[in-house]
Each structure stands twice: as C-alpha cells, then as structure tokens.
Amino acid sequence: MKRMQAWGRVYLLVVFAVMYMPIVYLMYYSFNSGGAMHDFQSFTLKWYRDVLSDDRLLIIVLNTIVVALLSAAVATILGVIGALAVYYVKRQRTKNALLALNNVLIVSPDVIIGASFLLLFTIAGIKLGFTSVLLSHIAFSVPIVVLMVLPKLEEMSPTLIDAARDLGASHWQVLSGVVLPFLAPSIWAGFFMALTYSLDDFAVTFFVTGNGFSTLSVEIYSRARQGISLSINALSTLLFLFTMLLVIGYYVLSQKGGRLYGIGGRK
Amino acid sequence: MTERAWRNWYLIPYGIWLVLFVIAPIVFLLYESFLDIDGHWTVANYENVLTPIYLKMMAYSFWYAFLITLVSLLIGYPTAYWLTKTRHKQLWLLLLILPMWVNLLLKVYAFLGLLGTYGLANALLQTLGIGARQLLFTDFSFVFVSVYIFIPFMVLPIFNALEELPPSLVDAARDLGASAWTTFRRVVFPLTLSGVKAGCQAVFIPSLSLFMITRLVAGNRVITLGTAIEQHFLVTQNWGMGATIAVVLMIAMAVIVILTGSGRKEGSR
C-alpha cells in the first residue's frame, strides 16, 4: 500500500511537470537574446520592450480585457435573471425544456457556435467587429452563469423567503435583501467563469471578428501561423502573471463558497 | 408589481436571449444548409456530405476524437485518483487546472517550440539515444497537444465523483477481503462512472471541432469536421456546405449526448 502511494506521487509529479512544461518553456525563452525557442544565448529584456512599445498589441490587449469585463458583467446579470426565471417555473416539463435550451451553447462545439453566430449577425445586418464579438461573448457566457447560480437557488430554504414576506418585505426587498446576498458566492463564481471564458475564447471570436477588430487569441493565432516570435513569449509571461492574480481572487471567492464551482465546461 | 408579474418578468429577458442566441442561430444554420454557393435552394450539400471524401473525413474526425478521449481518460483517471489521496487536494487540484487559465492559443504556440526540430522533446529523445524525429506536423503531435489541452476537463469531473464516493464502501470491500485492484474494479470505478461519462463528453465533443491545433501543430495533415467548417465559412465562402457539415455534426453530437446520458450536468459543477 505504501509503495502504491509512492508511485502515485511520482505519477502526479510527472503529470504536473508535463502540464507546466509549455508555460515554463515559453517564459524561459522570453529572455533569450537569440530569436528562437531553442539555443538560449544570453539574457535580454528586449522582447518585453518590444511588447510594451507595440501600440497595436496593447490596443488588442485592451480590447480583450474590455470585451471580457463587459461581457462577463452583462452575462452575469442575464444569467442571474435566467436562473430566477427557471427557478420560478413550476411545471417540471417547461423547466426541463428551458434547461435543455440553456445547455445547447454549452455542449455545442465552438466552431458551430461561431459559424451560426456569423450567420446570425450577417442576417441581422450587424457589422462584424466589437459589437458582434461582445454580443457573442455575452451569449455563450449566459448559460454557464445560469448553471452555476441555479443549484444554489434550489438549495436555498423557502422558509427564508416566507419569513421575509411575512415580515412585509416586497418582492424587490426579498430579492435584494435575501436572495441576492445568499446567491453572492455563486454569482461571483459565475462572473469569474464568464470572464475566463471570454479571455480564453478563440474559435467563436475568430468567426465573428471583422477586419478592424482583434482579440489576443485571434492575434496570437495569426502571429503563430507566421512562425515563432519571442515577443509572443514575453506577452505570455506577462499574461500568466496577470492570470495568477485573477486565479488567486477566484480561489479566495470559491473558498468562501465552499467548493470550486463549474470549472470544466467547453473549449 | 404582483409576485406573479415579477416571476413572468424574469422570463422576458432570458426568453429573448434564448430565442436570439440559441434558437435563431440553429434555424439559420438549418436554412443555410439548403442553399448553394449562389444562394439558390438545393439539397446538393447533403448529397455532397454523403460522398466518400466527406464520409472519410467524418470517420477520421471521430476516430481522432475517440483517440484523444481515450488517452485523456487513461491519463486523467489515475491523476484524479491520486489527487484525492494527497493532503492539500483542493490546492493541488487548483494547481492542476491553473494551466487552463493560460490562453489556449499560447499553450498551442508553446508546443511549436517544444516539439520543433531543435526543441526540448527532440533534445530529450537524443539523450535517450533514440535520435531526433520529426514531431511537429504529425498525427502524434495533434493527439498529444489535444490531450494536453483537454486533460483538466477529464480530471475535474472524475475528481468530483471520487470525492463524493463514501469511503466506508471502500473499507467494507477491503474488510470483506477484496484486493486493492478488485475493490477498484468492482466498487470505485462503477461508482465514479458518472464522472467518467461527464469527462468523456467534455473531451469528445470539443475534440471534433478543433481547428487551430490542426492548423498550427498538425500542419493541415489532420482535417477534422471543425477544420472543414472553418474552411467553408472563412476561406472558400461556401457557407451552405459549411452549414451542412455543422448540422451533421450537431446531429452526431445530440446522439452522443443522448447515448451517454446526462452525466455532464452533474460533473460540470
């Protein structure tokens, strides 16, 4: 039994090593004065200077963050409303139908979501660019917020609401004073999930982005297709540090909520 | 507003979202799949899908998705299992899924360096005496990078399922004289099957639609359904054909979801 444990440790260690290998590799070579991801020559900060002086790239980073924050905020509001809507539906059949529709965007492959949204925006006459990217990020984040808030809502004791109503609270007072505070951890978790979905999305954005507008994933894709450039490595190091900050925030929040919510949706 | 009016009010914004972004896109996709490249009505797209070229591509696509899922499961299950045995398991779990937050494209890009001719992988092979190989732009690199990307999606639901397994059941099996392996095979694995199903769904479905990995590290050698859809929509501009493949993929997906049950819902929390 003891020996099994030891092998388990070794196994985990190997898995962790492989998981972190690409990230460490990217970071390490971001300091390489030679222009490739092999043959480390000497230490340089040149690539970081390149990234920080590249206005186009900085605008793209800003775009990505603005789209992520805005879409996550709107999706969270819509998602909470959606969760309440599903919660209050009394007929089980209607409830299941709503949930099935809700899950369509979670189980669909990105390429299909991207292609169908491209069709939607073209038919609706919406110009491809910021608006179309923002709308699609909102659209694919809503269902995950619903799925994260709904279980918490179902968990809530109805006596809590009855008590508030007996004491004369209006629906709005019940909502803002009892229900929303109770849901707060899952709402925050949903917000962070939507944020990471948006930051990470490539395929959907790739379909609905026009010529003038780009997000980081799309930009990295087009640069990577041209070959290796160490400024991407420098950028990735900076992004990783930023991500760490986000994750620490998320971790603290999810600890409050009791468990790691909803990680593992689609890609 | 009365209580009832409030309840109905919630349905309005959510309903609008459902109609606009869930129902309408599917309807448009269906509609588009019956149009040819000039916008005339046709069923030629569906006839095309049934030609050997597309059928072969579909078979390949499913084969690769199956392979990716299988390898992810073989690596992911033991990982989840040993994770539950560690002391600070929540922290280790977080560390394992941390790479998930690194931009997908950056991870794929990293493999261009790692698997390249002068990259770490080849250096390793050389020290082992195997000698350098062409790793990039092969089927191997496609499966490897895909598994790398999807492994957290496999580990997470299995981890959750293992966590929910009552330890007393394992103790009971051991007390009754079952060996460690028998206990695992007859007690632990069957009881965590919901997590396995959820993980397989979370890996298999997106595997069908990868196109950036096929383009970047598989050098267009592997053409999946995802690649074909992207090609038709963004390169050749034959939206009708792209939509048809998307419809076929959607039907296939629905079948998979129905066949594997609703495990995903439990596991994705």
Side-chain angles (χ1 to χ4, degrees):
Chain A
M1 204 58 196
K2 266 275 181 296
R3 226 179 59 221
M4 286 290 281
Q5 294 280 355
W7 278 113
R9 294 250 167 82
V10 173
Y11 183 83
L12 277 187
L13 218 65
V14 173
V15 171
F16 273 90
V18 175
M19 289 307 282
Y20 279 89
M21 184 87 73
I23 298 161
V24 174
Y25 200 74
L26 276 181
M27 289 185 172
Y28 177 67
Y29 281 102
S30 70
F31 299 109
N32 181 13
S33 67
M37 268 201 265
H38 54 81
D39 300 327
F40 195 92
Q41 288 176 357
S42 64
F43 179 87
T44 178
L45 287 176
K46 174 183 182 301
W47 309 110
Y48 288 87
R49 277 195 296 275
D50 275 6
V51 166
L52 294 176
S53 61
D54 187 342
D55 288 345
R56 194 181 117 76
L57 196 61
L58 291 181
I59 288 173
I60 290 171
V61 171
L62 212 64
N63 282 343
T64 312
I65 294 173
V66 168
V67 167
L69 285 174
L70 266 178
S71 67
V74 178
T76 307
I77 295 168
L78 264 173
V80 172
I81 292 173
L84 286 166
V86 176
Y87 176 71
Y88 282 127
V89 168
K90 285 284 167 280
R91 275 184 56 197
Q92 197 57 38
R93 288 234 328 253
T94 323
K95 205 171 200 159
N96 287 344
L98 278 177
L99 276 175
L101 279 176
N102 185 67
N103 291 357
V104 166
L105 285 182
I106 296 181
V107 295
S108 297
D110 284 1
V111 174
I112 291 185
I113 300 176
S116 64
F117 282 4
L118 174 63
L119 272 171
L120 174 77
F121 293 131
T122 315
I123 291 172
I126 294 170
K127 207 169 146 284
L128 297 183
F130 175 76
T131 320
S132 60
V133 171
L134 181 68
L135 283 175
S136 22
H137 282 213
I138 293 170
F140 69 59
S141 301
V142 169
I144 195 74
V145 179
V146 173
L147 277 195
M148 285 164 92
V149 174
L150 194 59
K152 189 87 181 161
L153 206 52
E154 306 273 13
E155 213 175 79
M156 186 174 65
S157 159
T159 50
L160 213 61
I161 296 176
D162 291 343
R165 294 206 60 95
D166 284 348
L167 293 168
S170 69
H171 187 92
W172 174 247
Q173 282 170 326
V174 172
L175 185 69
S176 62
V178 180
V179 177
L180 289 182
F182 182 81
L183 296 178
S186 60
I187 294 176
W188 276 109
F191 176 78
F192 269 93
M193 215 53 216
L195 202 64
T196 48
Y197 269 21
S198 172
L199 286 174
D200 205 39
D201 180 70
F202 164 71
V204 177
T205 315
F206 190 63
F207 273 88
V208 298
T209 188
N211 280 329
F213 188 82
S214 186
T215 63
L216 257 176
S217 304
V218 175
E219 178 68 13
I220 295 165
Y221 177 72
S222 59
R223 286 192 187 198
R225 289 202 81 180
Q226 289 156 19
I228 285 163
S229 140
L230 291 189
S231 49
I232 303 183
N233 294 49
L235 180 68
S236 74
T237 307
L238 295 174
L239 280 176
F240 187 71
L241 296 177
F242 176 73
T243 311
M244 289 286 285
L245 286 177
L246 269 186
V247 171
I248 291 167
Y250 178 78
Y251 185 65
V252 171
L253 286 167
S254 65
Q255 283 301 74
K256 270 191 197 161
R259 82 188 276 177
L260 286 167
Y261 284 91
I263 304 159
R266 45 177 202 90
K267 184 88 291 177
Chain B
M1 263 198 289
T2 65
E3 187 71 14
R4 205 186 173 78
W6 267 97
R7 290 176 181 190
N8 288 333
W9 185 88
Y10 293 132
L11 275 171
I12 297 169
Y14 184 61
I16 292 175
W17 170 78
L18 279 178
V19 170
L20 279 183
F21 291 100
V22 179
I23 298 168
I26 296 174
V27 173
F28 289 151
L29 212 53
L30 263 173
Y31 172 75
E32 186 73 31
S33 71
F34 287 104
L35 299 181
D36 66 10
I37 201 159
D38 302 311
H40 302 303
W41 279 89
T42 177
V43 285
N45 294 328
Y46 284 93
E47 285 167 7
N48 263 335
V49 163
L50 295 174
T51 56
I53 305 171
Y54 280 103
L55 287 177
K56 211 174 133 192
M57 190 188 70
M58 258 183 258
Y60 265 125
S61 202
F62 278 96
W63 167 244
Y64 278 113
F66 170 74
L67 217 57
I68 293 167
T69 312
L70 185 70
V71 177
S72 300
L73 179 64
L74 289 178
I75 298 176
Y77 201 102
T79 310
Y81 183 79
W82 291 113
L83 267 178
T84 57
K85 303 274 177 231
T86 55
R87 211 169 302 147
H88 303 284
K89 48 191 168 191
Q90 288 292 337
L91 185 72
W92 284 111
L93 182 69
L94 186 76
L95 280 175
L96 185 82
I97 52 187
L98 192 66
M100 258 173 78
W101 272 281
V102 175
N103 192 297
L104 176 69
L105 268 295
L106 281 177
K107 285 180 287 194
V108 177
Y109 166 79
F111 282 101
L112 288 180
L114 265 167
L115 299 174
T117 319
Y118 306 103
L120 188 71
N122 263 329
L124 210 66
L125 285 180
Q126 235 149 12
T127 26
L128 289 174
I130 299 169
R133 293 279 165 86
Q134 170 70 36
L135 295 173
L136 215 53
F137 312 130
T138 60
D139 301 0
F140 165 79
S141 62
F142 174 63
V143 174
F144 185 85
V145 175
S146 306
V147 169
Y148 173 86
I149 298 286
F150 288 130
I151 206 85
F153 295 92
M154 184 61 90
V155 172
L156 234 113
I158 297 177
F159 179 88
N160 284 340
L162 281 166
E163 281 285 275
E164 277 159 24
L165 179 79
S168 53
L169 290 178
V170 178
D171 294 341
R174 297 307 302 257
D175 284 350
L176 292 169
S179 69
W181 174 243
T182 312
T183 310
F184 175 78
R185 201 167 50 93
R186 303 291 290 271
V187 180
V188 179
F189 190 75
L191 286 173
T192 50
L193 212 59
S194 68
V196 172
K197 275 184 184 170
C200 287
Q201 275 188 22
V203 174
F204 189 86
I205 292 168
S207 298
L208 289 171
S209 75
L210 294 165
F211 70 90
M212 56 292 197
I213 299 181
T214 63
R215 292 244 195 271
L216 289 176
V217 300
N220 285 342
R221 275 180 46 91
V222 183
I223 306 280
T224 64
L225 289 169
T227 323
I229 295 173
E230 188 252 357
Q231 180 87 14
H232 281 305
F233 266 92
L234 300 176
V235 185
T236 58
Q237 299 281 325
N238 188 354
W239 287 18
M241 194 62 220
T244 309
I245 301 172
V247 169
V248 171
L249 180 53
M250 251 161 47
I251 294 169
M253 208 183 68
V255 171
I256 294 164
V257 172
I258 292 165
L259 282 181
T260 50
S262 58
R264 190 188 176 92
K265 229 163 49 194
E266 297 155 38
S268 66
R269 272 181 302 155

